[in-house]
Every structure is written in structure tokens, then in C-alpha cells.
Amino acid sequence: MNKTKLVFLYLITSLIWIYASNYVLTHYIPSRFDNYFERGKEIFYILVTGGIFYFFILKKEELDTTKEQEKRLYTLINSMVDFVNFKDGEGRWIQANDFGLKLFQLENVDYFGKKDSELAEYTEFYADALRYCEVSDEETWVKGDITRCEEIVPRPDGTSKIFDTIKVPLFHEDGTREGLVIIGRDITTLRQTEERLNRTEKLSVVGELSASVAHEIRNPLTSLKGFVQLLQMEDDKHQDYYQIMLDELNRINHIVGELLLLAKPQHLKYSKLAIQRILNDVISLLAVEASLYNVQIESNFPKEDIILECEPNQLKQLFINLIKNSIEASNHDSKISISLEQIELDKIAITVKDNGCGISKERLEKIGEPFYSSKEKGTGLGLTVSYKIVQSHNGHINFDSELGCGTTVNITLPVVQDPSLSKSHSAVIA
């Protein structure tokens, strides 16, 4: 009830009391008691109105205290980097913090009293996600207990965030629904860190395996290759077989070389060199192989040299691995685009894009893992080596691919290497 109605009610009640008490005094009270009755009704009126005022003062103090507590609570939940949302027993929004409103693009929406399906009308991008929230809430109500799950929330920029979502249902004493408390913690960085640690552990295991195996393989390999070459010189009849044997021995030698690269400790000697020169050398090296596949390599580099602090041989190996993969995955009469740009003052971006067969989502999730390859004779070590090279240069590598639509590899590298940075790489698969 608002203040105007309260004042109006007080005036009406006071007038009724005055006229009613005067009427009783005139018609029913003996004249000898008039003075006592008048004093009595005045004292009674003072006590009643005083009690009413005292009651409202107490209520106002309680209301002020409640508002202050609500203000503190709202300040608290708004300072949280988690999504916090309170709903009533019907699933209508009561309160949400700024982080949650910004997350679902509802900053300027009057959300109070609205359900998720109603709020979905205000944000086209998150409409489906909000409608799914109603389904998820209902599952929590039916279960009748705290639920916890990981939810992936897409972002308009094409990325996504992972939330550890906790839902707490509240019930009245009679078992009816009272409310729902939802807290979603952003664990995207945590999951990415875990992924990087897992990949680093795998690289470490492969490195240890490589160190113990590679040298043992190369010794007999050299002997076998020498004997095959000797037989090839003395026997003209079986030249085709000898050539096949030499090719296979060379392939084994190449695999051992990749294993040794993984096993080598990362004591790099950085030098300053134009990144365009490294890329042009690799393109020239692979031009013949590209022509055999009838694939055209196009480059788009800035005219002014971008001087990069790097280990040139490793970067050459990185670009050879990536471009060769693109050549082998491309269709005939297709092209591979290689672009370079300086995205920040201290950072460059290299993109290798093909329109070949692409990579399925399932294989994309495992790309870069040692000994995982989609090629018939592949070992998977090429991309494992590539990841390690990017790691040693404190860069980032990202694969974006769709089956039948080609693959795009995005690499970002710092222009100057910071020796204080730990040699940890970040690999994101989209």
C-alpha cells in the first residue's frame, strides 16, 4: 500500500472515530460522565495512533535494514565472476547479476518475473540456450536435489565458454516449489589448461620413448641401407625391388628423425630473420611437390619485411609439415592460400588455408596427438612436432576444419621472444 492511501485511510478512520465517539457521548453517556468520557476517548486515540506510528516506524526500520541487506547482496553477486541467478517456484527470474545478463545479452531487458522462454524473445543468439535452461531446471525440480553439470555456452565471436553449473532447488514445508538458485562458474581457462597439460605430458612421454628407441633404430638402419645400395649396384635384374626397399628405408629414417626432434631438449638459439624469407623458402621447396598434385600455392605477404626472433630451421620444419599436409589433402586443380599479417605491434599471424577434404570433428579433437594420423602411412608425429615447435616459440596454433570444406590453420607468434616466459604452448581446436 502506498503512502497516499495510508494517509487517506488514517484521515477517514480519524473522522469516523471523532463522529462516532461524539454520537455515543451525546446519546448514550450520562451528562455527569461527559468529562471522563471525553478525556478517555482522547487518551485512547493518542494510544492507538501512537501505537500505529510506532508500528510503522519499526516496519520502516526493518524495511531499511532489508533494503540495505539486499543492496549488499546485490553488490556481492555483481562482484562475482560467476553467473548467479535466482528464480521463483515457477521458473521466473527474480534476480541475476551483471555477468549473467551480459553473458546472455540481456543487459537492457527488464527480466523480473519473466521465464527463460520469454527472455529468449529478446536475444536471438541465445534463444535456444535459454529455452534449454527451462528443460534443465525442470530436471532439477523433478530430481529434488542439487544438480551439477558442465555446460558449453557459445559466443557470438565463434568461441565458447565452459561453465560448471550448480542448481539448488528450494521447497516449502508442504513440498511445493519455492525457488531455484543457479550458479555457473566459468571453467574455460581451467579446461584449456588441463588440455595443455595433457598434451605436454604426452609430448614428454613421446620424447622419453624417442630418446631410447631412435638411436637403436638408426644403427641397423644404416647397415641395411648400405647393403641394399650395394645389391642395387651389382644386380640389374631387381632394380624396382631395391628402389622400393630404399624408399621404405628412407621413410623409416624420416620417422626416426621426427622422433629425435621430439626427444631433443629445447635449448634454442634464436636469431632475427624476416619471416617472409622463411615462408618463401618453404614455398619454393614444396613447389615441385605441389605441381605433382596439380595444386597451386598462393601467398599474401606484406611488402615490408617483418623481422622475427626465432629458430629458423624449426619454423621451416613447422611450415613444411603444415603445407605438405595441405597439399596431400587438396583436390586436383585446387589452391592453398598462405597469408601473413602483423596483428599487433609484437605479434604476427600466419594462416595456411586449403579447400581439400577437411577433417571430421572426431579426428579434429585428437589432432596433434602422437601416433594419431588420418593418413594410411602417417605416424601423426608431423603435427606433434609442429605443436612442439609452436610451444618452444611461445605461440598459439589453431585448427579450424569441416569435413569436405577444407582446413584452416592459424598460427600466432611473438615478434620478440621473452626468456622469462615458460615454454608452454596453447593449442586450440575449433
Side-chain angles (χ1 to χ4, degrees), residues 61-102:
E61 290 177 352
E62 291 179 3
L63 183 61
D64 291 341
T65 302
T66 302
K67 287 183 176 179
E68 184 66 26
Q69 291 175 345
E70 288 182 353
K71 184 178 179 181
R72 290 176 182 174
L73 176 62
Y74 189 70
T75 302
L76 174 63
I77 66 174
N78 269 330
S79 64
M80 296 174 65
V81 293
D82 303 327
F83 169 48
V84 181
N85 190 4
F86 299 98
K87 298 179 181 179
D88 64 13
E90 299 297 325
R92 293 184 289 261
W93 285 37
I94 299 174
Q95 195 171 49
N97 63 346
D98 292 341
F99 179 86
L101 295 176
K102 186 177 180 180

Side-chain angles (χ1 to χ4, degrees), residues 16 37 77 138 198 235 257 259 276 325 345 372 388 394:
I16 293 173
F37 185 81
I77 66 174
E138 186 62 28
N198 289 334
D235 185 2
L259 284 170
Q276 289 98 323
N325 284 344
L345 188 61
Y372 180 85
K388 189 165 185 178
N394 298 307

Side-chain angles (χ1 to χ4, degrees), residues 300-398:
N300 181 20
F301 304 152
K303 292 182 179 179
E304 295 185 3
D305 286 344
I306 300 175
I307 305 301
L308 191 70
E309 189 175 7
C310 63
E311 207 295 315
N313 291 327
Q314 283 210 356
L315 286 191
K316 283 182 181 180
Q317 183 65 50
L318 168 66
F319 298 133
I320 287 171
N321 290 344
L322 296 178
I323 297 172
K324 280 188 70 174
N325 284 344
S326 293
I327 292 172
E328 293 172 4
S330 296
N331 301 316
H332 289 287
D333 297 323
S334 62
K335 66 179 180 179
I336 298 171
S337 300
I338 305 171
S339 61
L340 167 69
E341 63 175 329
Q342 188 156 2
I343 53 176
E344 295 177 15
L345 188 61
D346 59 345
K347 191 176 292 185
I348 64 166
I350 303 109
T351 303
V352 180
K353 183 178 181 181
D354 66 66
N355 50 6
C357 58
I359 307 170
S360 65
K361 184 178 180 181
E362 293 76 16
R363 287 183 171 177
L364 197 62
E365 292 174 354
K366 296 183 178 180
I367 199 168
E369 292 186 4
F371 307 112
Y372 180 85
S373 175
S374 59
K375 301 177 187 177
E376 184 179 352
K377 295 185 178 181
T379 62
L381 292 175
L383 286 180
T384 306
V385 169
S386 300
Y387 274 101
K388 189 165 185 178
I389 292 171
V390 173
Q391 167 193 355
S392 65
H393 284 77
N394 298 307
H396 301 258
I397 182 169
N398 167 279

Side-chain angles (χ1 to χ4, degrees), residues 168-202:
V168 183
L170 305 175
F171 297 91
H172 293 288
E173 292 183 359
D174 59 359
T176 56
R177 300 177 180 182
E178 180 181 0
L180 187 67
V181 180
I182 303 170
I183 301 175
R185 172 154 294 181
D186 186 356
I187 58 171
T188 308
T189 303
L190 175 63
R191 289 291 174 262
Q192 289 176 348
T193 302
E194 289 177 351
E195 182 182 346
R196 289 196 293 267
L197 287 173
N198 289 334
R199 192 178 295 278
T200 302
E201 288 176 3
K202 290 178 181 178

Side-chain angles (χ1 to χ4, degrees), residues 205-221 252 255-257 259-260 263 371:
V205 171
V206 172
E208 293 175 6
L209 175 65
S210 303
S212 61
V213 172
H215 292 289
E216 298 298 327
I217 294 177
R218 271 200 166 168
N219 290 332
L221 194 64
I252 295 172
I255 294 171
V256 172
L259 284 170
L260 285 173
F371 307 112

Side-chain angles (χ1 to χ4, degrees), residues 195-250:
E195 182 182 346
R196 289 196 293 267
L197 287 173
N198 289 334
R199 192 178 295 278
T200 302
E201 288 176 3
K202 290 178 181 178
L203 286 172
S204 177
V205 171
V206 172
E208 293 175 6
L209 175 65
S210 303
S212 61
V213 172
H215 292 289
E216 298 298 327
I217 294 177
R218 271 200 166 168
N219 290 332
L221 194 64
T222 303
S223 300
L224 287 172
K225 189 173 180 180
F227 285 126
V228 170
Q229 288 174 333
L230 182 60
L231 290 172
Q232 188 179 31
M233 292 171 60
E234 296 179 353
D235 185 2
D236 295 332
K237 185 177 178 182
H238 301 97
Q239 288 295 315
D240 291 339
Y241 297 126
Y242 294 138
Q243 188 58 47
I244 292 172
M245 293 170 68
L246 284 174
D247 290 342
E248 292 302 305
L249 288 171
N250 287 330

